Amino acid sequence: MENQTTVPYFLLMEFSKKRPLQLLHFIFFLVLYLATITTNILIISAVAIDHRLHSPMYFFLMNLAVLDLGTISIIVPKSMTNSLMDTRHISYFGCVTQYFLFLSFETCDFSLLTIMAYDRYVAICHPLHYEMVMNWKYCTEIIIIMWVICLLYGMLHTTGTFSISYCSNVVNQFFCEIPHLLKLSCSGINLLEVGILVASLIGALGCFTFIVISYAVIFKTVLRIPSEKGKQKALSTCIPHLTVVCMLVLSGCIAYMKPSSNTPSYIDFWLTALYSVLPPLFNPIIYSIRNKNIKCVLSELWKFS
């Protein structure tokens, strides 16, 4: 293709040229998508309906479930449609929208996990001040601020990425992912995008450092709790969150730090799915397994239905 600032459409990665494998990919992603939608809607319903879950910790968990629903709904349906219809096309506007929303939601996801780490820090290390610090006004304001900042960041990042000139429209991934789009540039990354990438790295390292320090102080405090029951209760609220953070960070590092290939690769496909598709499914499951209150509410909802 000739050098141009915009292209009429992009071509996403084709899972396979064989029709049976395309249908297998469609069925696999459909089952994964339906399971993710179901588990996250159950979490949202449980927190919204039952008054026992009307606390900051579960309010943040409900927001995490909303983000997970949004994240998987942005990328999976288009990939399923392409496999079912035996096509690779995504419109330029569709790619921009997918890029913007996925980036914004992923940024919100990690920001929310940082906020949840602070919530656990206050609850365990300063329990007498918890209700005063983590009041509903503060929680609502911090969520609104988080959404505004993440959407502005996504808009700025998207503007920087799609202002470059593209030499090709072939994206070697099943959705419009950052590294693969940047590799299509003819003239390299512009200064705006470089600045955004540096700021993103600093922000991500800052959030990760904050989470690590918070949990170092939390575990130090937990070890001082005299009763074993108290220790177990404190850890039961921390382990699910820490598991989710580790899963997101490790899968993201594996996907983004590996050398990217110039040709379609099943390894790239599954590593990207590892950090983009699987966490929205596993997050509600991890929180449900370790949390007695959620399990109790979900069992009541199941009996009622």
Side-chain angles (χ1 to χ4, degrees):
M1 294 182 64
E2 295 181 357
N3 294 0
Q4 48 188 1
T5 302
T6 60
V7 293
Y9 59 86
F10 289 93
L11 295 175
L12 298 176
M13 177 181 176
E14 188 177 38
F15 184 75
S16 175
K17 295 185 180 296
K18 297 179 180 179
R19 191 58 182 160
L21 290 179
Q22 290 177 347
L23 294 177
L24 181 63
H25 167 248
F26 169 78
I27 294 171
F28 175 74
F29 263 33
L30 177 62
V31 172
L32 195 66
Y33 182 64
L34 292 177
T36 304
I37 293 292
T38 302
T39 53
N40 281 285
I41 286 178
L42 284 173
I43 292 293
I44 295 170
S45 302
V47 176
I49 293 172
D50 200 283
H51 68 279
R52 290 172 293 181
L53 303 183
H54 290 177
S55 67
M57 182 177 76
Y58 297 110
F59 173 66
F60 294 139
L61 179 59
M62 183 176 69
N63 276 272
L64 183 64
V66 171
L67 285 170
D68 288 339
L69 278 177
T71 300
I72 198 167
S73 297
I74 291 162
I75 58 176
V76 169
K78 181 59 180 176
S79 182
M80 290 193 303
T81 302
N82 282 356
S83 289
L84 186 63
M85 304 300 292
D86 190 19
T87 183
R88 300 172 58 191
H89 288 70
I90 182 171
S91 67
Y92 180 84
F93 178 74
C95 189
V96 171
T97 304
Q98 193 179 70
Y99 184 98
F100 164 68
L101 291 177
F102 180 78
L103 181 62
S104 299
F105 285 176
E106 282 291 292
T107 306
C108 279
D109 204 326
F110 197 50
S111 301
L112 184 57
L113 290 174
T114 307
I115 295 169
M116 293 171 76
Y118 177 70
D119 174 70
R120 291 300 83 207
Y121 163 76
V122 177
I124 295 173
C125 301
H126 303 282
L128 298 179
H129 299 91
Y130 181 73
E131 291 187 4
M132 181 180 67
V133 175
M134 302 301 293
N135 56 69
W136 280 109
K137 181 182 177 183
Y138 174 77
C139 293
T140 305
E141 287 176 351
I142 199 170
I143 288 296
I144 293 173
I145 292 171
M146 179 196 75
W147 274 103
V148 171
I149 291 175
C150 291
L151 289 173
L152 287 174
Y153 167 77
M155 188 181 301
L156 191 62
H157 207 321
T158 304
T159 302
T161 301
F162 286 91
S163 63
I164 61 179
S165 299
Y166 292 107
C167 292
S168 172
N169 66 343
V170 179
V171 182
N172 291 322
Q173 195 48 265
F174 68 95
F175 69 98
C176 292
E177 192 188 25
I178 300 171
H180 292 278
L181 279 171
L182 293 178
K183 287 185 67 175
L184 304 181
S185 171
C186 297
S187 54
I189 305 175
N190 56 36
L191 289 176
L192 173 62
E193 189 63 16
V194 170
I196 295 171
L197 290 172
V198 171
S200 303
L201 182 60
I202 294 172
L205 287 175
C207 289
F208 181 72
T209 303
F210 181 86
I211 293 172
V212 171
I213 294 174
S214 297
Y215 272 99
V217 177
I218 287 172
F219 287 135
K220 186 177 179 180
T221 303
V222 169
L223 291 175
R224 294 175 181 173
I225 298 176
S227 66
E228 287 297 322
K229 187 176 181 181
K231 289 181 181 179
Q232 291 178 1
K233 184 177 180 181
L235 289 175
S236 67
T237 64
C238 295
I239 290 176
H241 175 260
L242 197 56
T243 304
V244 169
V245 171
C246 291
M247 182 174 63
L248 182 64
V249 171
L250 288 175
S251 60
C253 287
I254 292 171
Y256 279 94
M257 290 185 176
K258 63 174 178 55
S260 57
S261 173
N262 292 321
T263 57
S265 167
Y266 283 116
I267 296 177
D268 284 349
F269 177 91
W270 291 113
L271 285 177
T272 301
L274 184 67
Y275 88 90
S276 62
V277 178
L278 295 184
L281 172 62
F282 287 132
N283 287 351
I285 295 173
I286 291 170
Y287 275 102
S288 300
I289 290 174
R290 296 287 306 182
N291 194 296
K292 292 182 180 179
N293 290 335
I294 291 181
K295 286 194 290 186
C296 181
V297 174
L298 290 177
S299 64
E300 289 177 4
L301 287 175
W302 178 261
K303 291 177 182 178
F304 180 78
S305 60

